Amino acid sequence: MVFFRSVSALSKLRSRIAQQPHINTSVRWLQMQSSTGQDLRSQLEEMIPEQQERLKKLKSEHGKVQLGNITVDMVIGGMRGMTGLLWETSLLDPDEGIRFRGLSIPECQKVLPAAKPGGEPLPEGLLWLLLTGKVPSKEQVDSLSNDLQNRASIPDYVYKAINALPVTAHPMTQFTTGVMALQVQSEFQKAYDKGISKSKYWEPTYEDSLNLIAKVPAVASYVYRRVFKDGKIIPVDESLDYGANFSHMLGFDDPKMLELMRLYVTIHSDHEGGNVSAHTGHLVASALSDPYLSFAAALNGLAGPLHGLANQEVLLWIKSIVDECGENITTEQLKDYVWKTLKSGKVVPGFGHGVLRKTDPRYTCQREFALKHLPEDPLFQLVSKLYEVVPPILLELGKVI
């Protein structure tokens, strides 16, 4: 793995490589290329031994290279700005936002296969890109989609485990319980108990990971329908792709919603390794905990209000605006409400980020989708007004946006 958590440290290492030609031959940055032939597992089977040797060489030849200084603030601040992980699948730039294997979100929208011409990228395509560093063909994506469908069945005991919880339990608690129930199927645990060679750890890990990815939409959609709908399970539609099936199992079959879910899952598939959930998953996996255990731990980190639960906080705050002022709120009324929130000692949810210093491109592409498909929607218009109103107020207070 070769993309470092700290952008400054990465730049320094790249600079050293540029200055020393002999290093250039031993540390080869992943180059974007199109992928042809083979299924995903076969491609990884060829790539992984090479990557294993590459990491050994990186450690043996450059293991003493310093990547920065550690300050007290970094330690007290939870490793903020500290180089502490190797992460190759994505990089979060403070000004550009997320890049997946070097590709921005708009670039992914252009090059990754879609369900229809000019449509949103298929999440299966991004999964292939993240794992291989290559842009897949439509045929490869379709093959992966079929593979995931074949892995997607959920044992009854998973639903029983979720149903043992009160329906009032937070959805993330129910979701994590479902994932933990799936863990009894772990191929890695079975292989490890039998004494698998360390060089082959990736094989059962791959199986667990693909199985988990395949099953997560059904578990998540059941939790949603249990909490907010009638609790009935909507079965997989074998004619649909991964993102569209997730939307279908939630109970939304409008073609626009299918496209939105494809986009939404794609842009949230990875977000570098330093955030709470990704870091937690990596940390737990370092103990050779299988992907189910690691992912469940990551979900518990994601459930915190300073991480994934922040999305819920945004929705609740927007709901409070609608409840108090109505959907057709004026710009002046909105300014007053924002000031009211700030003067009460609270923050405005959704504005401000631990790394980003410009508008999150994940928001931008969803905004463009809304402008194209539902420009007159009252809630979208409210969010658009907030996008105009909030930044000047925060700048007036000296806040970094």
Side-chain angles (χ1 to χ4, degrees), residues 55-56 84 97 101 107 167 203 247 256-257 371 388 390:
L55 281 173
K56 290 178 183 178
R101 291 285 193 171
E107 289 169 339
V167 72
E203 295 179 2
S247 179
K256 295 177 182 177
M257 185 61 189
L371 286 169
E388 297 173 3
V390 175

Side-chain angles (χ1 to χ4, degrees), residues 155 157-158 178-187 189-190 208 290 292-293:
Y157 59 77
V158 174
V179 170
M180 287 298 296
L182 287 169
Q183 190 275 339
V184 299
Q185 296 183 330
S186 173
E187 295 296 327
Q189 183 181 13
K190 296 173 188 175
D208 277 357
D290 63 60
Y292 297 94
L293 298 174

Side-chain angles (χ1 to χ4, degrees), residues 216 258 260:
V216 157
L258 304 188
L260 177 59

Side-chain angles (χ1 to χ4, degrees), residues 306 313 317 338 341-342 344-351 394 399:
L306 294 184
E313 298 296 313
W317 185 70
V338 171
T341 299
L342 293 169
S344 69
K346 301 176 182 178
V347 299
V348 178
F351 290 84
L394 296 181
K399 304 287 186 180

Side-chain angles (χ1 to χ4, degrees), residues 67-338:
L67 297 177
N69 298 316
I70 305 301
T71 65
V72 172
D73 281 342
M74 290 177 176
V75 175
I76 295 176
M79 297 178 64
R80 184 178 294 277
M82 186 187 300
T83 303
L85 288 174
L86 297 169
W87 201 266
E88 68 179 342
T89 49
S90 64
L91 184 67
L92 184 60
D93 184 271
D95 295 314
E96 293 186 347
I98 192 70
R99 283 184 174 270
F100 304 110
R101 291 285 193 171
L103 295 179
S104 67
I105 288 176
E107 289 169 339
C108 286
Q109 289 177 295
K110 290 179 181 178
V111 302
L112 291 178
K116 60 181 182 180
E120 300 298 339
L122 292 163
E124 298 94 320
L126 189 72
L127 174 59
W128 189 293
L129 173 67
L130 292 176
L131 291 179
T132 68
K134 301 175 183 179
V135 175
S137 66
K138 183 62 164 58
E139 291 73 21
Q140 289 171 324
V141 167
D142 289 342
S143 174
L144 178 55
S145 186
N146 290 333
D147 184 17
L148 291 172
Q149 277 196 14
N150 291 334
R151 299 169 181 263
S153 61
I154 306 294
D156 287 341
Y157 59 77
V158 174
Y159 296 121
K160 290 178 181 178
I162 296 171
N163 290 338
L165 296 170
V167 72
T168 54
H170 193 279
M172 289 298 288
T173 302
Q174 298 187 47
F175 188 27
T176 306
T177 299
V179 170
M180 287 298 296
L182 287 169
Q183 190 275 339
V184 299
Q185 296 183 330
S186 173
E187 295 296 327
F188 180 87
Q189 183 181 13
K190 296 173 188 175
Y192 186 82
D193 289 345
K194 292 178 180 178
I196 187 174
S197 167
K198 186 176 180 180
S199 65
K200 298 295 184 181
Y201 280 172
W202 77 268
E203 295 179 2
T205 299
Y206 172 87
E207 293 302 318
D208 277 357
S209 298
L210 266 287
N211 287 337
L212 181 56
I213 289 169
K215 297 176 191 299
V216 157
V219 176
S221 60
Y222 177 67
V223 171
Y224 171 79
R225 296 194 61 79
R226 182 173 187 254
V227 174
F228 299 107
K229 300 295 181 180
D230 56 11
K232 294 181 180 178
I233 299 171
I234 298 178
V236 168
D237 183 337
E238 295 184 357
S239 69
L240 296 176
D241 54 85
Y242 186 85
N245 242 319
F246 185 27
S247 179
H248 165 70
M249 289 187 289
L250 288 168
F252 302 101
D253 288 308
D254 186 302
K256 295 177 182 177
M257 185 61 189
L258 304 188
E259 274 289 271
L260 177 59
M261 189 59 75
R262 291 173 182 126
L263 174 64
Y264 190 86
V265 175
T266 295
I267 64 177
H268 291 92
S269 292
D270 201 47
H271 206 238
E272 210 185 48
N275 64 69
V276 170
S277 54
H279 191 175
T280 299
H282 221 51
L283 178 64
V284 174
S286 72
L288 293 186
S289 299
D290 63 60
Y292 297 94
L293 298 174
S294 304
F295 183 64
L299 288 177
N300 288 327
L302 187 68
L306 294 184
H307 194 16
L309 196 67
N311 287 332
Q312 177 180 303
E313 298 296 313
V314 172
L315 292 172
L316 290 174
W317 185 70
I318 292 174
K319 184 177 183 297
S320 71
I321 296 175
V322 174
D323 290 344
E324 184 169 326
C325 307
E327 289 183 338
N328 297 317
I329 185 173
T330 66
T331 300
E332 289 304 314
Q333 287 176 312
L334 197 54
K335 287 180 181 178
D336 291 341
Y337 195 89
V338 171

